[in-house]
Coordinates of all heavy atoms in Angstrom, one line a residue:
M77 N 0.8 -1.2 0.0 CA 0.0 0.0 0.0 C 0.9 1.2 0.0 O 1.9 1.3 0.7 CB -0.8 0.1 1.2 CG -1.7 -1.1 1.4 SD -3.4 -0.6 1.7 CE -3.2 0.4 3.2
G78 N 0.5 2.2 -0.8 CA 1.3 3.5 -0.7 C 1.0 4.4 -1.9 O 0.2 4.0 -2.8
E79 N 1.5 5.5 -1.7 CA 1.3 6.5 -2.8 C 2.3 6.4 -3.9 O 3.4 6.0 -3.6 CB 1.4 7.9 -2.2 CG 0.6 8.2 -0.9 CD -0.9 8.4 -1.3 OE1 -1.1 8.8 -2.5 OE2 -1.7 8.2 -0.4
R80 N 1.8 6.6 -5.1 CA 2.8 6.5 -6.2 C 3.6 7.7 -6.3 O 4.8 7.6 -6.7 CB 2.0 6.3 -7.5 CG 2.7 5.4 -8.5 CD 1.7 5.1 -9.6 NE 0.8 4.1 -9.3 CZ -0.3 3.8 -10.1 NH1 -0.6 4.6 -11.1 NH2 -1.1 2.8 -9.8
I81 N 3.1 8.8 -5.9 CA 3.8 10.1 -6.0 C 4.4 10.4 -4.6 O 3.6 10.4 -3.6 CB 2.9 11.2 -6.5 CG1 2.4 10.9 -7.9 CG2 3.7 12.5 -6.4 CD1 1.3 11.8 -8.4
R82 N 5.7 10.6 -4.5 CA 6.3 10.8 -3.2 C 7.1 12.1 -3.2 O 7.1 12.8 -4.2 CB 7.4 9.7 -3.0 CG 6.7 8.3 -2.9 CD 7.6 7.3 -2.4 NE 6.9 6.0 -2.2 CZ 6.3 5.6 -1.1 NH1 6.2 6.4 -0.1 NH2 5.7 4.5 -1.0
G83 N 7.6 12.4 -2.0 CA 8.3 13.6 -1.8 C 7.5 14.9 -1.8 O 6.3 14.8 -1.6
S84 N 8.2 16.0 -2.1 CA 7.5 17.3 -1.9 C 6.4 17.5 -2.9 O 5.4 18.1 -2.7 CB 8.5 18.4 -2.1 OG 9.1 18.4 -3.4
A85 N 6.5 16.9 -4.1 CA 5.4 16.9 -5.1 C 4.2 16.2 -4.5 O 3.1 16.7 -4.8 CB 5.9 16.3 -6.4
G86 N 4.5 15.1 -3.9 CA 3.3 14.4 -3.3 C 2.6 15.2 -2.2 O 1.4 15.1 -2.0
V87 N 3.4 15.8 -1.4 CA 2.9 16.7 -0.3 C 2.0 17.8 -0.9 O 0.9 18.0 -0.4 CB 4.0 17.3 0.6 CG1 3.4 18.3 1.6 CG2 4.8 16.2 1.3
K88 N 2.5 18.4 -1.9 CA 1.7 19.5 -2.5 C 0.5 19.0 -3.1 O -0.6 19.6 -3.0 CB 2.6 20.0 -3.8 CG 3.0 21.5 -3.6 CD 3.6 21.9 -4.9 CE 4.5 23.1 -4.7 NZ 5.3 23.5 -5.9
L89 N 0.5 17.8 -3.8 CA -0.7 17.2 -4.4 C -1.7 16.9 -3.3 O -2.9 17.1 -3.5 CB -0.2 15.9 -5.1 CG -1.2 15.1 -5.8 CD1 -1.8 15.9 -7.0 CD2 -0.7 13.8 -6.3
R90 N -1.2 16.4 -2.2 CA -2.1 16.0 -1.1 C -2.8 17.3 -0.6 O -4.0 17.2 -0.3 CB -1.3 15.3 -0.1 CG -2.1 14.7 1.1 CD -1.2 13.9 2.0 NE -1.9 13.6 3.2 CZ -2.0 14.4 4.3 NH1 -1.4 15.5 4.2 NH2 -2.7 14.1 5.3
K91 N -2.0 18.3 -0.4 CA -2.6 19.5 0.1 C -3.7 20.1 -0.8 O -4.7 20.6 -0.4 CB -1.5 20.6 0.3 CG -0.8 20.5 1.6 CD 0.1 21.7 1.8 CE 0.9 21.5 3.1 NZ 2.0 22.4 3.2
R92 N -3.4 20.0 -2.1 CA -4.3 20.5 -3.1 C -5.6 19.7 -3.1 O -6.7 20.3 -3.2 CB -3.7 20.5 -4.5 CG -4.5 21.1 -5.6 CD -3.7 21.3 -6.9 NE -3.3 20.0 -7.4 CZ -4.0 19.1 -8.0 NH1 -5.3 19.3 -8.1 NH2 -3.5 18.0 -8.5
R93 N -5.4 18.4 -3.0 CA -6.7 17.6 -2.9 C -7.5 17.8 -1.6 O -8.7 17.9 -1.7 CB -6.2 16.1 -3.0 CG -5.8 15.7 -4.4 CD -5.2 14.3 -4.5 NE -5.0 14.0 -5.9 CZ -4.3 12.9 -6.3 NH1 -3.8 12.1 -5.4 NH2 -4.1 12.6 -7.6
L94 N -6.8 18.0 -0.5 CA -7.5 18.2 0.7 C -8.2 19.5 0.6 O -9.3 19.7 1.2 CB -6.5 18.2 1.9 CG -6.1 16.8 2.4 CD1 -5.0 17.0 3.4 CD2 -7.3 16.2 3.1
A95 N -7.6 20.5 -0.1 CA -8.3 21.8 -0.2 C -9.6 21.8 -0.9 O -10.4 22.7 -0.7 CB -7.2 22.8 -0.9
R96 N -9.8 20.8 -1.7 CA -11.0 20.7 -2.5 C -12.3 20.7 -1.6 O -13.3 21.1 -2.0 CB -11.1 19.5 -3.4 CG -10.1 19.5 -4.5 CD -10.2 18.3 -5.4 NE -9.9 17.1 -4.6 CZ -10.1 15.9 -5.0 NH1 -10.6 15.7 -6.2 NH2 -9.9 14.9 -4.3
T97 N -12.1 20.1 -0.4 CA -13.3 20.0 0.5 C -13.1 20.9 1.7 O -13.7 20.8 2.8 CB -13.5 18.6 1.0 OG1 -12.4 18.1 1.7 CG2 -13.9 17.7 -0.2
G98 N -12.1 21.9 1.5 CA -11.8 22.8 2.7 C -11.2 22.1 3.8 O -11.3 22.4 5.0
G99 N -10.5 20.9 3.5 CA -9.9 20.2 4.5 C -10.8 19.3 5.3 O -10.4 18.8 6.3
L100 N -12.0 19.2 4.9 CA -13.0 18.4 5.7 C -13.2 17.0 5.1 O -13.1 16.8 3.9 CB -14.3 19.2 5.8 CG -14.2 20.5 6.5 CD1 -15.6 21.2 6.5 CD2 -13.7 20.4 7.9
C101 N -13.6 16.1 6.0 CA -13.9 14.8 5.6 C -15.2 14.7 4.7 O -16.3 15.2 5.2 CB -14.1 13.9 6.8 SG -14.7 12.2 6.4
E102 N -15.1 14.2 3.5 CA -16.3 14.1 2.6 C -17.4 13.2 3.1 O -18.6 13.4 3.0 CB -15.9 13.6 1.2 CG -14.9 14.6 0.5 CD -14.6 14.1 -0.9 OE1 -15.4 13.4 -1.5 OE2 -13.4 14.3 -1.3
R103 N -16.9 12.1 3.7 CA -17.9 11.0 4.1 C -18.7 11.6 5.3 O -19.9 11.4 5.4 CB -17.1 9.8 4.5 CG -17.9 8.5 4.6 CD -16.9 7.3 4.5 NE -17.6 6.1 4.7 CZ -17.8 5.5 5.9 NH1 -17.3 6.1 7.0 NH2 -18.3 4.3 6.0
C104 N -18.0 12.2 6.3 CA -18.7 12.8 7.4 C -19.6 14.0 6.9 O -20.7 14.1 7.4 CB -17.6 13.4 8.4 SG -16.8 12.1 9.4
G105 N -19.1 14.7 5.9 CA -20.0 15.8 5.4 C -21.3 15.3 4.9 O -22.3 15.9 5.1
K106 N -21.3 14.1 4.2 CA -22.5 13.5 3.7 C -23.4 13.0 4.8 O -24.7 13.0 4.7 CB -22.2 12.3 2.8 CG -21.8 12.8 1.4 CD -21.4 11.6 0.5 CE -20.7 12.1 -0.7 NZ -19.8 11.1 -1.2
A107 N -22.8 12.7 6.0 CA -23.6 12.3 7.1 C -24.0 13.4 8.0 O -24.5 13.3 9.1 CB -22.8 11.2 7.9
G108 N -23.6 14.7 7.6 CA -23.9 15.8 8.4 C -23.0 16.1 9.5 O -23.3 16.9 10.4
R109 N -21.8 15.5 9.5 CA -20.8 15.8 10.5 C -19.7 16.6 9.9 O -19.4 16.6 8.7 CB -20.2 14.4 11.0 CG -21.1 13.5 11.8 CD -20.4 12.4 12.3 NE -19.7 11.6 11.3 CZ -20.2 10.5 10.8 NH1 -21.3 9.9 11.3 NH2 -19.5 9.8 9.9
V110 N -19.0 17.4 10.8 CA -17.9 18.1 10.3 C -16.7 17.7 11.0 O -16.5 17.8 12.3 CB -18.2 19.7 10.7 CG1 -16.9 20.5 10.3 CG2 -19.4 20.2 10.0
R111 N -15.8 17.1 10.2 CA -14.6 16.5 10.8 C -13.4 16.8 9.9 O -13.6 16.8 8.6 CB -14.7 15.0 11.0 CG -14.2 14.6 12.3 CD -14.3 13.1 12.4 NE -15.4 12.6 13.2 CZ -15.8 11.3 13.2 NH1 -15.2 10.4 12.5 NH2 -16.8 11.0 14.0
L112 N -12.3 17.1 10.4 CA -11.1 17.4 9.5 C -10.6 16.1 8.9 O -10.6 15.1 9.5 CB -10.0 17.9 10.4 CG -10.0 19.5 10.6 CD1 -8.7 19.8 11.4 CD2 -10.0 20.2 9.3
A113 N -10.4 16.2 7.6 CA -9.8 15.1 6.9 C -8.4 15.0 7.1 O -7.6 16.0 7.1 CB -10.1 15.3 5.3
T114 N -7.9 13.8 7.3 CA -6.4 13.6 7.5 C -5.9 12.7 6.4 O -4.7 12.6 6.4 CB -6.1 13.0 8.9 OG1 -6.9 11.7 8.9 CG2 -6.6 13.9 10.0
R115 N -6.8 12.2 5.6 CA -6.3 11.3 4.6 C -6.9 11.7 3.2 O -8.0 12.1 3.1 CB -6.9 9.9 4.9 CG -6.4 9.3 6.1 CD -5.0 8.8 6.0 NE -4.6 8.1 7.1 CZ -3.7 7.0 7.0 NH1 -3.3 6.7 5.9 NH2 -3.4 6.4 8.1
V116 N -6.0 11.5 2.2 CA -6.5 11.5 0.8 C -6.7 10.1 0.4 O -5.7 9.4 0.2 CB -5.6 12.3 -0.1 CG1 -6.2 12.3 -1.5 CG2 -5.5 13.8 0.4
D117 N -7.9 9.6 0.3 CA -8.1 8.2 0.1 C -8.4 7.9 -1.4 O -9.0 8.8 -2.1 CB -9.3 7.7 0.9 CG -9.7 6.3 0.6 OD1 -8.8 5.5 1.0 OD2 -10.7 6.0 0.1
H118 N -7.9 6.9 -1.9 CA -8.2 6.5 -3.3 C -9.4 5.7 -3.3 O -9.6 4.7 -2.6 CB -7.0 5.7 -3.9 CG -5.8 6.5 -4.1 ND1 -4.8 6.7 -3.2 CD2 -5.4 7.2 -5.2 CE1 -3.9 7.5 -3.7 NE2 -4.3 7.8 -4.9
I119 N -10.5 6.2 -4.0 CA -11.7 5.5 -4.1 C -11.6 4.1 -4.5 O -12.2 3.2 -3.9 CB -12.7 6.3 -5.0 CG1 -13.0 7.7 -4.4 CG2 -14.0 5.6 -5.2 CD1 -13.6 8.7 -5.3
K120 N -10.9 3.9 -5.6 CA -10.5 2.6 -6.0 C -9.0 2.5 -5.6 O -8.2 3.2 -6.2 CB -10.6 2.3 -7.5 CG -10.2 0.9 -8.0 CD -10.6 0.6 -9.3 CE -10.2 -0.9 -9.7 NZ -10.5 -1.2 -11.1
P121 N -8.7 1.6 -4.7 CA -7.3 1.6 -4.2 C -6.3 1.3 -5.3 O -6.6 0.6 -6.2 CB -7.3 0.4 -3.2 CG -8.8 0.2 -2.9 CD -9.5 0.6 -4.1
L122 N -5.1 1.9 -5.1 CA -4.0 1.7 -6.1 C -3.7 0.2 -6.1 O -3.4 -0.3 -7.2 CB -2.8 2.5 -5.6 CG -2.9 4.0 -5.6 CD1 -1.6 4.7 -5.2 CD2 -3.5 4.6 -6.9
A123 N -3.8 -0.4 -5.0 CA -3.5 -1.8 -4.9 C -4.4 -2.7 -5.7 O -4.1 -3.8 -6.1 CB -3.5 -2.3 -3.5
L124 N -5.6 -2.1 -6.0 CA -6.6 -2.8 -6.8 C -6.7 -2.3 -8.2 O -7.7 -2.4 -8.9 CB -8.0 -2.8 -6.1 CG -8.0 -3.4 -4.7 CD1 -9.4 -3.3 -4.2 CD2 -7.5 -4.8 -4.7
G125 N -5.7 -1.6 -8.6 CA -5.6 -1.0 -10.0 C -6.2 0.3 -10.2 O -6.3 0.8 -11.3
G126 N -6.5 1.0 -9.1 CA -7.0 2.4 -9.1 C -5.9 3.4 -9.6 O -4.7 3.1 -9.5
E127 N -6.4 4.4 -10.2 CA -5.4 5.4 -10.7 C -5.2 6.5 -9.7 O -6.1 6.9 -9.0 CB -5.9 6.1 -12.0 CG -5.8 5.2 -13.2 CD -6.1 6.1 -14.4 OE1 -5.3 6.8 -14.9 OE2 -7.2 5.9 -15.0
D128 N -3.9 7.1 -9.7 CA -3.6 8.1 -8.8 C -4.0 9.5 -9.4 O -3.1 10.3 -9.8 CB -2.1 8.1 -8.5 CG -1.8 9.0 -7.3 OD1 -2.8 9.4 -6.6 OD2 -0.6 9.3 -7.0
V129 N -5.2 9.7 -9.7 CA -5.7 11.0 -10.2 C -6.7 11.6 -9.3 O -7.3 10.9 -8.5 CB -6.4 10.7 -11.6 CG1 -5.4 10.2 -12.6 CG2 -7.5 9.7 -11.5
D130 N -7.0 12.9 -9.4 CA -7.8 13.6 -8.5 C -9.3 12.9 -8.5 O -9.8 12.8 -7.4 CB -8.0 15.0 -8.9 CG -6.8 15.9 -8.6 OD1 -5.8 15.3 -8.1 OD2 -6.8 17.1 -8.8
E131 N -9.7 12.5 -9.6 CA -11.1 11.9 -9.7 C -11.2 10.7 -8.9 O -12.3 10.2 -8.6 CB -11.4 11.6 -11.2 CG -11.6 12.9 -12.0 CD -10.2 13.6 -12.3 OE1 -9.3 12.9 -12.5 OE2 -10.2 14.9 -12.3
N132 N -10.1 10.0 -8.6 CA -10.1 8.8 -7.9 C -9.8 9.0 -6.4 O -9.4 8.0 -5.7 CB -9.2 7.8 -8.5 CG -9.3 6.4 -7.9 OD1 -10.4 5.9 -7.7 ND2 -8.2 5.7 -7.7
T133 N -9.8 10.2 -6.0 CA -9.5 10.4 -4.5 C -10.7 11.1 -3.8 O -11.5 11.8 -4.5 CB -8.2 11.3 -4.4 OG1 -8.5 12.6 -5.0 CG2 -7.1 10.7 -5.0
R134 N -10.7 11.0 -2.5 CA -11.6 11.7 -1.7 C -10.9 12.0 -0.4 O -10.0 11.2 0.0 CB -12.9 10.9 -1.5 CG -12.7 9.6 -0.8 CD -13.9 8.7 -0.9 NE -13.4 7.3 -0.7 CZ -14.2 6.3 -0.7 NH1 -15.5 6.4 -0.9 NH2 -13.7 5.1 -0.6
N135 N -11.4 13.0 0.4 CA -10.8 13.3 1.6 C -11.5 12.7 2.7 O -12.7 12.8 2.8 CB -10.8 14.9 1.7 CG -10.1 15.5 0.6 OD1 -9.1 15.0 0.1 ND2 -10.5 16.7 0.2
L136 N -10.8 12.1 3.6 CA -11.4 11.4 4.7 C -10.7 11.7 6.0 O -9.6 11.9 6.1 CB -11.4 9.8 4.5 CG -12.1 9.3 3.2 CD1 -11.9 7.8 3.1 CD2 -13.6 9.6 3.3
C137 N -11.5 11.5 7.1 CA -10.9 11.5 8.4 C -10.4 10.1 8.8 O -10.7 9.2 8.0 CB -11.9 12.0 9.5 SG -13.3 10.9 9.7
E138 N -9.7 10.0 9.8 CA -9.1 8.7 10.1 C -10.1 7.6 10.3 O -10.0 6.5 9.7 CB -8.1 8.8 11.3 CG -7.2 7.6 11.6 CD -6.3 7.4 10.5 OE1 -5.9 8.3 9.8 OE2 -5.9 6.2 10.2
P139 N -11.2 7.8 11.1 CA -12.2 6.8 11.3 C -12.8 6.3 10.0 O -13.1 5.2 9.7 CB -13.2 7.4 12.3 CG -12.4 8.5 13.0 CD -11.4 9.0 12.0
C140 N -13.1 7.3 9.1 CA -13.8 7.0 7.8 C -12.8 6.2 7.0 O -13.2 5.3 6.3 CB -14.2 8.3 7.2 SG -15.7 9.0 7.8
H141 N -11.5 6.6 7.0 CA -10.6 6.0 6.2 C -10.4 4.5 6.6 O -10.4 3.6 5.8 CB -9.2 6.6 6.4 CG -8.1 6.0 5.6 ND1 -7.1 5.2 6.2 CD2 -7.8 5.9 4.3 CE1 -6.3 4.8 5.3 NE2 -6.7 5.1 4.1
L142 N -10.4 4.3 7.9 CA -10.4 2.9 8.4 C -11.6 2.1 7.9 O -11.5 0.9 7.5 CB -10.3 2.9 9.9 CG -9.0 3.3 10.5 CD1 -9.0 3.4 12.0 CD2 -7.8 2.4 10.1
D143 N -12.7 2.8 8.0 CA -14.0 2.1 7.6 C -14.0 1.7 6.1 O -14.3 0.5 5.7 CB -15.2 3.1 7.7 CG -15.9 2.9 9.1 OD1 -15.3 2.2 9.9 OD2 -16.9 3.5 9.2
V144 N -13.7 2.6 5.2 CA -13.7 2.4 3.8 C -12.6 1.4 3.4 O -12.8 0.6 2.5 CB -13.7 3.6 2.9 CG1 -14.8 4.5 3.3 CG2 -12.3 4.4 3.0
T145 N -11.4 1.5 4.0 CA -10.4 0.6 3.7 C -10.8 -0.9 4.1 O -10.6 -1.8 3.3 CB -9.1 0.9 4.5 OG1 -8.7 2.2 4.2 CG2 -7.9 0.0 4.1
A146 N -11.5 -1.0 5.2 CA -12.0 -2.3 5.6 C -12.9 -2.9 4.6 O -13.0 -4.0 4.2 CB -12.6 -2.2 7.0
E147 N -13.8 -1.9 4.1 CA -14.8 -2.3 3.1 C -14.1 -2.8 1.8 O -14.5 -3.8 1.2 CB -15.8 -1.2 2.8 CG -16.8 -1.0 3.9 CD -17.5 0.4 3.8 OE1 -17.4 1.0 2.7 OE2 -18.1 0.8 4.8
Q148 N -13.2 -2.0 1.3 CA -12.5 -2.2 0.1 C -11.8 -3.5 0.1 O -11.7 -4.2 -0.9 CB -11.5 -1.0 -0.2 CG -12.2 0.2 -0.7 CD -11.3 1.4 -0.6 OE1 -10.3 1.4 0.1 NE2 -11.7 2.5 -1.2
F149 N -11.1 -3.8 1.2 CA -10.3 -5.0 1.3 C -11.0 -6.2 1.9 O -10.4 -7.2 2.2 CB -9.0 -4.6 1.9 CG -8.1 -3.8 1.1 CD1 -8.1 -2.4 1.2 CD2 -7.3 -4.3 0.0 CE1 -7.3 -1.6 0.4 CE2 -6.6 -3.5 -0.8 CZ -6.5 -2.1 -0.5
G150 N -12.3 -6.0 2.2 CA -13.0 -7.1 2.7 C -12.8 -7.5 4.1 O -13.0 -8.6 4.5
H151 N -12.3 -6.6 4.9 CA -12.0 -6.9 6.3 C -13.1 -6.4 7.3 O -12.9 -6.3 8.4 CB -10.7 -6.3 6.8 CG -9.5 -6.8 6.0 ND1 -8.4 -6.2 5.8 CD2 -9.4 -8.0 5.3 CE1 -7.5 -6.8 5.0 NE2 -8.1 -8.0 4.7
A152 N -14.2 -6.0 6.7 CA -15.2 -5.3 7.4 C -15.9 -6.2 8.4 O -17.0 -6.8 8.0 CB -16.2 -4.6 6.5
S153 N -15.4 -6.3 9.6 CA -16.0 -7.2 10.6 C -16.9 -8.3 10.1 O -18.1 -8.2 10.3 CB -16.6 -6.4 11.7 OG -17.4 -5.4 11.1
P154 N -16.4 -9.3 9.4 CA -17.3 -10.4 8.9 C -17.7 -11.3 10.1 O -18.7 -12.0 10.0 CB -16.3 -11.2 8.0 CG -14.9 -10.9 8.6 CD -15.0 -9.6 9.1
I155 N -17.0 -11.3 11.2 CA -17.4 -12.1 12.4 C -18.2 -11.2 13.3 O -17.7 -10.2 13.8 CB -16.1 -12.7 13.1 CG1 -15.3 -13.5 12.1 CG2 -16.5 -13.5 14.3 CD1 -13.9 -13.7 12.5
E156 N -19.4 -11.6 13.5 CA -20.3 -10.9 14.4 C -19.7 -10.8 15.8 O -19.2 -11.8 16.4 CB -21.6 -11.5 14.5 CG -22.7 -10.5 14.9 CD -24.0 -11.2 15.0 OE1 -24.3 -12.1 14.1 OE2 -24.8 -10.9 16.0
G157 N -19.7 -9.6 16.4 CA -19.2 -9.5 17.7 C -17.7 -9.8 18.0 O -17.3 -10.1 19.0
R158 N -16.9 -9.6 16.9 CA -15.5 -9.8 16.9 C -14.9 -8.9 18.0 O -15.3 -7.8 18.3 CB -14.9 -9.4 15.6 CG -13.4 -9.6 15.5 CD -13.0 -9.2 14.1 NE -13.3 -7.8 13.8 CZ -12.8 -7.2 12.7 NH1 -11.9 -7.9 12.0 NH2 -13.0 -5.9 12.5
G159 N -13.9 -9.5 18.7 CA -13.2 -8.7 19.7 C -13.4 -9.1 21.1 O -14.1 -10.1 21.3
V160 N -13.0 -8.3 21.9 CA -13.2 -8.5 23.4 C -13.8 -7.4 24.1 O -13.7 -6.2 23.6 CB -11.8 -8.9 24.0 CG1 -11.3 -10.2 23.5 CG2 -10.8 -7.8 23.9
D161 N -14.4 -7.5 25.1 CA -15.0 -6.4 25.8 C -13.9 -5.9 26.9 O -12.8 -6.3 26.8 CB -16.2 -6.8 26.6 CG -16.0 -7.9 27.7 OD1 -14.9 -8.0 28.1 OD2 -17.0 -8.5 28.1
R162 N -14.3 -5.0 27.7 CA -13.3 -4.3 28.5 C -12.6 -5.2 29.5 O -11.5 -5.0 30.0 CB -14.0 -3.2 29.3 CG -14.0 -1.9 28.5 CD -14.5 -0.8 29.3 NE -15.3 0.1 28.4 CZ -16.1 1.1 28.8 NH1 -16.2 1.2 30.1 NH2 -16.7 1.9 28.0
S163 N -13.3 -6.3 29.9 CA -12.7 -7.2 30.8 C -11.8 -8.2 30.1 O -11.2 -9.1 30.8 CB -13.8 -7.9 31.7 OG -14.6 -8.7 30.8
G164 N -11.8 -8.2 28.8 CA -11.0 -9.1 28.1 C -11.7 -10.4 27.6 O -11.1 -11.3 27.1
R165 N -13.0 -10.4 27.9 CA -13.8 -11.5 27.6 C -14.2 -11.4 26.1 O -14.7 -10.4 25.7 CB -15.0 -11.6 28.5 CG -15.9 -12.8 28.2 CD -17.1 -12.7 29.1 NE -18.0 -13.9 28.9 CZ -17.9 -15.0 29.6 NH1 -17.1 -15.1 30.5 NH2 -18.7 -16.0 29.2
P166 N -14.1 -12.5 25.3 CA -14.5 -12.4 23.9 C -16.0 -12.1 23.8 O -16.8 -12.5 24.6 CB -14.2 -13.8 23.3 CG -13.2 -14.4 24.3 CD -13.6 -13.8 25.7
T167 N -16.3 -11.1 22.8 CA -17.7 -10.8 22.7 C -18.5 -11.6 21.7 O -19.6 -11.6 21.6 CB -17.8 -9.3 22.3 OG1 -17.0 -9.1 21.1 CG2 -17.2 -8.3 23.3
S168 N -17.7 -12.4 20.9 CA -18.4 -13.2 19.9 C -19.3 -14.3 20.6 O -18.8 -15.1 21.4 CB -17.3 -13.9 19.1 OG -18.0 -14.9 18.3
P169 N -20.5 -14.4 20.1 CA -21.4 -15.4 20.6 C -20.9 -16.9 20.3 O -21.3 -17.8 20.9 CB -22.7 -15.2 20.0 CG -22.5 -14.2 18.8 CD -21.2 -13.6 19.1
D170 N -20.1 -16.9 19.2 CA -19.5 -18.2 18.8 C -18.4 -18.7 19.7 O -17.9 -19.8 19.6 CB -19.1 -18.1 17.4 CG -20.2 -18.0 16.5 OD1 -21.3 -18.4 16.8 OD2 -20.0 -17.4 15.3
H171 N -17.8 -17.7 20.4 CA -16.6 -18.1 21.2 C -17.1 -19.2 22.3 O -18.1 -19.0 22.9 CB -16.0 -16.9 21.9 CG -14.7 -17.2 22.4 ND1 -14.5 -17.9 23.6 CD2 -13.4 -16.9 22.0 CE1 -13.1 -18.0 23.9 NE2 -12.5 -17.4 22.9
P172 N -16.2 -20.2 22.5 CA -16.6 -21.2 23.5 C -16.9 -20.7 24.8 O -17.8 -21.2 25.5 CB -15.2 -22.1 23.5 CG -14.6 -21.9 22.2 CD -15.0 -20.5 21.8
W173 N -16.2 -19.6 25.2 CA -16.5 -19.0 26.5 C -18.0 -18.6 26.6 O -18.6 -18.6 27.7 CB -15.7 -17.8 26.8 CG -14.2 -18.1 27.0 CD1 -13.6 -19.3 26.9 CD2 -13.3 -17.2 27.5 NE1 -12.3 -19.1 27.2 CE2 -12.1 -17.9 27.6 CE3 -13.3 -15.8 27.8 CZ2 -10.9 -17.3 28.0 CZ3 -12.1 -15.2 28.3 CH2 -10.9 -16.0 28.4
N174 N -18.5 -18.1 25.5 CA -19.9 -17.6 25.5 C -21.0 -18.7 25.1 O -22.1 -18.4 25.2 CB -20.0 -16.4 24.5 CG -19.1 -15.3 25.1 OD1 -19.0 -15.1 26.2 ND2 -18.6 -14.5 24.1
R175 N -20.5 -19.8 24.7 CA -21.4 -20.9 24.4 C -21.6 -21.8 25.5 O -22.3 -22.8 25.4 CB -20.9 -21.7 23.1 CG -21.1 -20.9 21.9 CD -20.8 -21.8 20.7 NE -19.5 -22.3 20.7 CZ -19.0 -23.1 19.8 NH1 -19.8 -23.6 18.9 NH2 -17.8 -23.5 19.9
G176 N -20.8 -21.5 26.6 CA -20.9 -22.4 27.8 C -20.2 -23.7 27.6 O -20.3 -24.6 28.4
V177 N -19.3 -23.8 26.6 CA -18.5 -25.0 26.4 C -17.5 -25.2 27.6 O -17.4 -26.2 28.2 CB -17.7 -24.9 25.1 CG1 -16.8 -26.1 24.9 CG2 -18.7 -24.9 23.9
I178 N -16.9 -24.0 27.9 CA -16.0 -24.0 29.0 C -16.8 -23.9 30.2 O -17.6 -22.9 30.4 CB -14.9 -22.9 28.9 CG1 -14.0 -23.2 27.7 CG2 -14.1 -22.8 30.2 CD1 -13.2 -22.0 27.3
G179 N -16.8 -24.8 31.1 CA -17.7 -24.9 32.2 C -18.6 -26.1 32.1 O -19.3 -26.4 33.0
G180 N -18.7 -26.7 31.0 CA -19.4 -27.9 30.8 C -20.8 -27.9 30.5 O -21.5 -28.9 30.4
A181 N -21.4 -26.7 30.2 CA -22.8 -26.6 29.9 C -23.2 -26.7 28.4 O -24.4 -26.5 28.1 CB -23.4 -25.3 30.5
A182 N -22.3 -27.0 27.6 CA -22.6 -27.0 26.2 C -23.6 -28.0 25.8 O -24.3 -27.7 24.9 CB -21.3 -27.3 25.4
Ligands
ZN290 ZN1 -15.1 11.1 8.3

């Protein structure tokens, strides 16, 4: 993963692209939120053959960037309840701890 254009030219390009939305996240804007964009995201990822042109970019904040990246690369929480809660217990209903397997009630 990475930008094709690097160095100072890349920085300039990024600034110019961010300026298109006044430095705000486009995705949040559509949802009625105002958040600063920190990323110039490729709508079609370069890794998937997308072009590094303005038309293929949008400005996103970090949370939105994580969201769309997960969608693009198919990592968008396919497992329901993935992860652990604050006490470190798995939240997935499929986890043995939550099915009562451990403890003998399965
Ligand atoms: Zn956003």
Side-chain angles (χ1 to χ4, degrees):
M77 301 234 300
E79 306 284 338
R80 214 170 281 163
I81 299 167
R82 295 189 177 276
S84 62
V87 172
K88 246 188 198 171
L89 182 66
R90 185 171 170 276
K91 275 191 182 163
R92 184 168 60 74
R93 285 173 174 168
L94 280 171
R96 288 182 304 170
T97 59
L100 297 178
C101 173
E102 292 182 36
R103 198 163 174 266
C104 284
K106 280 178 193 152
R109 293 186 301 258
V110 177
R111 225 183 257 168
L112 274 183
T114 56
R115 298 283 191 147
V116 177
D117 180 61
H118 288 90
I119 296 164
K120 181 171 185 186
L122 301 181
L124 299 182
E127 279 189 81
D128 193 16
V129 293
D130 286 4
E131 293 72 35
N132 190 38
T133 64
R134 62 192 156 180
N135 302 327
L136 296 177
C137 66
E138 191 64 27
C140 285
H141 178 254
L142 290 174
D143 267 12
V144 301
T145 303
E147 283 164 18
Q148 284 163 345
F149 290 95
H151 300 155
S153 41
I155 302 161
E156 200 182 324
R158 179 179 62 167
V160 294
D161 65 18
R162 270 183 217 169
S163 65
R165 186 183 176 90
T167 56
S168 168
D170 291 336
H171 193 282
W173 288 10
N174 294 328
R175 285 189 302 176
V177 174
I178 295 167

